[in-house]
Amino acid sequence: MKQYLIKSVVCTMLAAAVSSTATAQVKLNANNIDQVLKEMTLHEKALLVVGTGMQGLGGNANLGTFAKLVPGAAGTTVAIPRLGITSAVLSDGPAGLRINPTRPYDSHTYYCTHFPIGTCLSSSWNTELVTEVGAAIGNEVREYGADVLLAPGVCLQRNPLCGRNFEYYSEDPVLSGNIAAAYINGVQSQGVGTSIKHFAFNNQETARLGNDARVSQRAARELYLKNFEIAIKKAQPWTVMSSYNLVNGTMTSERRDLLTTILRDEWGFKGIVMTDWMGGTDPIRRNGKTDRVANVIAGNDLIEPGEDADVTTIENAVKSGKLNVKYLDTNVRRILELIVKTPRFKGYQYSNNPDLKAHAVVTRNSAAEGTVLLENKGVLPLQNVKNVALFGVASYDPIAGGTGSGNVNRAYTVSLVEGMRNQGYTVDNDLLNSYTDYIKTAKEELSKVKREWWQTVPLPEEKAPSDDAITKAAENNDVAIITLERLSGEGSDRTAKDFNLSSEEKELITKVTDAFHKVGKKAVVVLNIGGVIESASWKNIPDAILLPWQCGQEIGNSVALILSGKLSPSGKLPMTWPINYTDAPSSQNFPSDGLEVNGIDASIYKGSQAKYKTVKNVGYTNYDEGIYVGYRYFDTYNKNVSYPFGYGLSYTSFGYSQPTVTDKGDHVNVAVTITNTGKTAGKEVAEVYVTAPKGAVDKPAEELKAFAKTRALQPGESETLSMDINKIDLASFNEKASAWIADAGTYTFKVGASSRDIKGSATLNIQKQTEKVHNVLK
């Protein structure tokens, strides 16, 4: 999935498989997998568990027929024609299918839709909507000839600065897990597979190939694995992708307790596990060497992409007795079970022509549900506005999504200029010309700077127009819209500097707002960002703050529709916004200083590899905060925040009835009626937080246990939301007992509009609940 060069990637294996002189009477079908397995030679088995890589990997790679399948896809499994085993095409990524948009000597284009990023989808708190988006993505996967989408990414947002937070869903595992399940169900409804990733503890990009996440069993179970557990049990993704990093001293792709004991034995996962691309290499402790035998034994079924040497290693290990063939056979059987489900195996005639116009409508409208209205002093939706002054680079050159494998090769990205014009507004032409010239010049200069392949090209710095230009804009326009941006992506983390607004950005907000206020007009800030930024110091300056995140290729249209009131924002924050970066408890154990140790290629580690073993947040990261991540920390210790978890305003207002809590045996039902008490239509989210009685272990003040979103309610209209919570899901993990234990006592069920805006509560006495699990991941 990664855009980098590697050595000697598979695969003469394709040629070997195709040219095999062996004959077979049996051909693979869904009912004869065991028979086919018996027919396979040891060499063929080893070939099947070592996948191929993407086009252009370089080195001595021989990709055989791979490049002819779906150009730009990330990789494939190996075909063995004599047994009727076809390849499965694996392709990125979470915000939409990622393939090459053009092909040599082909006038047709193969663009895909860039849908809202994961953080925007989770901000919707709407599983039905996410399923709809997933189905649209799955349709493009199928119609472009891919079989498995390498998504969704569900790692917990442990720290605000993780470079891939834009792909991930939340700081909370219940929200993350349920949004992921909805996405998976949507994609797989189209007859193609998904790959939930990165399993697990891939919570930073810095040194990701060799970083050791040192985490307690309790934090692992309650936070970092719980979202995977929810998604896997509710959606059964076809595949799981193991992560690059180590956990508690061992690479995740080599941990049988993680990939087999927990994933399969405890959770009932039925599909295959594959490595992340070039996973299993550790440039810090073993200079990039792999242990493919350990991968096979652990239950990491597919190595992606592998090398010829991996095939030989596995064959020799079986022959020498180092590897019991039963482990290899198990891997092979699972891959065959995957193959027979794929459209390619079934002979599906894909069209290369999905309905991109229909999908543009899906992404445009879904963005509104994931857009969070942070502030509004009566200016939104816009009223009696014709002329608009657009400030900020991102108003003219917006960011659809993050970089790396999560990016999508799309046909276009709609700017706010185009979006506002589409809604009948007139955009200030002087500002447009000024910003257009500045952006062009800035990009030309930035392109001259030599960078490593993994370094993100920086954005043009924000620059406030002259005082005279701002004054003129205030005189000639009805409202100011100021768009700020942040870009992040795979391969590096954001920095503490990136968290804060620059002096130029603060100057832009202050000067523009002051100028427009002096003539009795308003200013709105739009945040085109992928993760949390500092907001406490400036959020009271403008008249409104709208957070559409990076909501895909239709961003300009989506934002314009929301500003005009034709779409109503109904998003809620899926993470806490701290006042300062250092308020986050994980900030003491996260590489926030911009250390450029990417960890994908060993050559990036300058000098001795071994020295990085002892470098904090490079060789290892201590999860000292335990379970106190996000609101679990801020709410338990009564820390002030800029915006709490679950927060989001609306263009209307809502009333909540007194919630009811009913004991249903093995589960609890929580019901609440929500009424639109305002003057416009809108949707509201009911968030259920539970406070548990004291027990053997310390517990957060409250934890999200369920949520639901209303339909669009007209003024005066009501809807009763009913949510079920399994009693065992009220439990905390007790390390001494290796068990989930919900202590007997009184539980308080609180229904709110955020973790700090509780509308009503009810209590229920519950008997002790216990679920024993394996004592693993020490």
Side-chain angles (χ1 to χ4, degrees), residues 59 63 92 231 533 610 737:
L63 299 178
D92 296 319
I533 63 171

Side-chain angles (χ1 to χ4, degrees), residues 644-660:
F645 177 79
Y647 169 87
L649 302 176
S650 173
Y651 287 164
T652 187
S653 57
F654 299 95
Y656 286 65
S657 70
Q658 176 65 22
T660 61

Side-chain angles (χ1 to χ4, degrees), residues 302-477:
L302 178 63
I303 297 163
E304 274 293 344
E307 302 180 3
D308 290 341
D310 295 329
V311 178
T312 302
T313 295
I314 293 169
E315 285 188 77
N316 290 342
V318 172
K319 292 175 182 177
S320 68
K322 182 180 180 181
L323 174 62
N324 190 320
V325 74
K326 72 176 183 180
Y327 294 110
L328 180 59
D329 284 349
T330 298
N331 297 162
V332 171
R333 181 181 291 106
R334 291 171 182 155
I335 294 172
L336 294 177
E337 289 170 347
L338 168 72
I339 296 295
V340 298
K341 294 192 292 186
T342 62
R344 188 168 297 277
F345 177 81
K346 295 178 179 179
Y348 180 73
Q349 299 299 307
Y350 54 91
S351 67
N352 275 328
N353 190 30
D355 193 343
L356 298 182
K357 289 184 178 180
H359 295 166
V361 175
V362 173
T363 187
R364 183 187 313 150
N365 294 336
S366 63
E369 293 221 25
T371 294
V372 184
L373 182 61
L374 295 176
E375 301 286 343
N376 190 17
K377 302 173 185 175
V379 63
L380 295 180
L382 298 175
Q383 302 289 333
N384 301 316
V385 168
K386 176 64 177 177
N387 300 312
V388 296
L390 299 182
F391 295 90
V393 170
S395 290
Y396 302 88
D397 188 22
I399 301 170
T403 63
S405 62
N407 187 30
V408 179
N409 293 317
R410 57 202 176 275
Y412 62 86
T413 300
V414 178
S415 69
L416 193 53
V417 175
E418 184 179 356
M420 295 303 286
R421 286 174 171 172
N422 288 340
Q423 296 308 311
Y425 297 102
T426 299
V427 175
D428 187 289
N429 201 54
D430 290 340
L431 288 174
L432 185 152
N433 291 333
S434 176
Y435 270 103
T436 300
D437 292 342
Y438 169 68
I439 293 169
K440 179 181 179 182
T441 301
K443 284 190 170 183
E444 288 175 351
E445 291 302 312
L446 290 170
S447 67
K448 297 177 183 178
V449 179
K450 185 178 180 180
R451 292 180 178 83
E452 300 288 348
W453 64 265
W454 48 268
Q455 290 178 310
T456 299
V457 177
L459 302 169
E461 292 184 2
E462 200 56 77
K463 185 178 180 180
S466 68
D467 292 348
D468 289 343
I470 294 174
T471 299
K472 182 180 178 182
E475 293 172 350
N476 295 338
N477 294 280

Side-chain angles (χ1 to χ4, degrees), residues 555-570:
I555 180 171
N557 283 328
S558 298
V559 172
L561 286 165
I562 294 166
L563 292 173
S564 68
K566 293 178 181 177
L567 290 176
S568 180
S570 59

Side-chain angles (χ1 to χ4, degrees), residues 34-46:
D34 285 340
Q35 184 180 357
V36 170
L37 182 60
K38 292 178 181 178
E39 291 285 340
M40 295 179 72
T41 65
L42 175 59
H43 180 64
E44 288 171 333
K45 292 176 183 178

Side-chain angles (χ1 to χ4, degrees), residues 33-197:
I33 290 174
D34 285 340
Q35 184 180 357
V36 170
L37 182 60
K38 292 178 181 178
E39 291 285 340
M40 295 179 72
T41 65
L42 175 59
H43 180 64
E44 288 171 333
K45 292 176 183 178
L47 283 174
L48 194 61
V49 301
V50 179
T52 77
M54 67 187 76
Q55 190 175 6
L57 285 171
N60 298 318
N62 177 4
L63 299 178
T65 60
F66 166 65
K68 297 179 181 179
L69 297 180
V70 182
T76 72
T77 60
V78 173
I80 304 176
R82 79 174 190 91
L83 295 170
I85 300 172
T86 57
S87 293
V89 176
L90 319 172
S91 189
D92 296 319
L97 181 67
R98 178 181 171 83
I99 59 174
N100 291 348
T102 59
R103 299 173 185 177
Y105 308 107
D106 185 349
S107 61
H108 187 70
T109 58
Y110 302 84
Y111 289 110
C112 300
T113 305
H114 197 314
F115 292 86
I117 61 172
T119 298
C120 183
L121 291 181
S122 63
S123 295
S124 75
W125 295 60
N126 187 336
T127 53
E128 291 184 3
L129 173 82
V130 176
T131 298
E132 179 186 358
V133 171
I137 295 173
N139 174 262
E140 293 190 15
V141 173
R142 187 185 68 212
E143 292 307 319
Y144 276 132
D147 298 293
V148 176
L149 181 72
L150 302 174
V154 302
C155 292
L156 212 68
Q157 294 182 359
R158 171 180 175 259
N159 185 277
L161 300 183
C162 174
R164 295 183 82 169
N165 274 353
F166 75 94
E167 291 185 54
Y168 302 149
Y169 293 131
S170 176
E171 69 185 22
D172 180 83
V174 170
L175 178 58
S176 174
N178 281 283
I179 294 296
Y183 179 101
I184 293 165
N185 283 329
V187 174
Q188 294 188 172
S189 71
Q190 302 300 299
V192 294
T194 58
S195 188
I196 191 170
K197 62 185 185 183

Side-chain angles (χ1 to χ4, degrees), residues 662-683:
T662 307
D663 192 326
K664 296 287 188 178
D666 63 350
H667 69 277
V668 174
N669 177 264
V670 180
V672 64
T673 299
I674 295 180
T675 302
N676 185 342
T677 58
K679 298 180 180 180
T680 60
K683 296 183 178 183

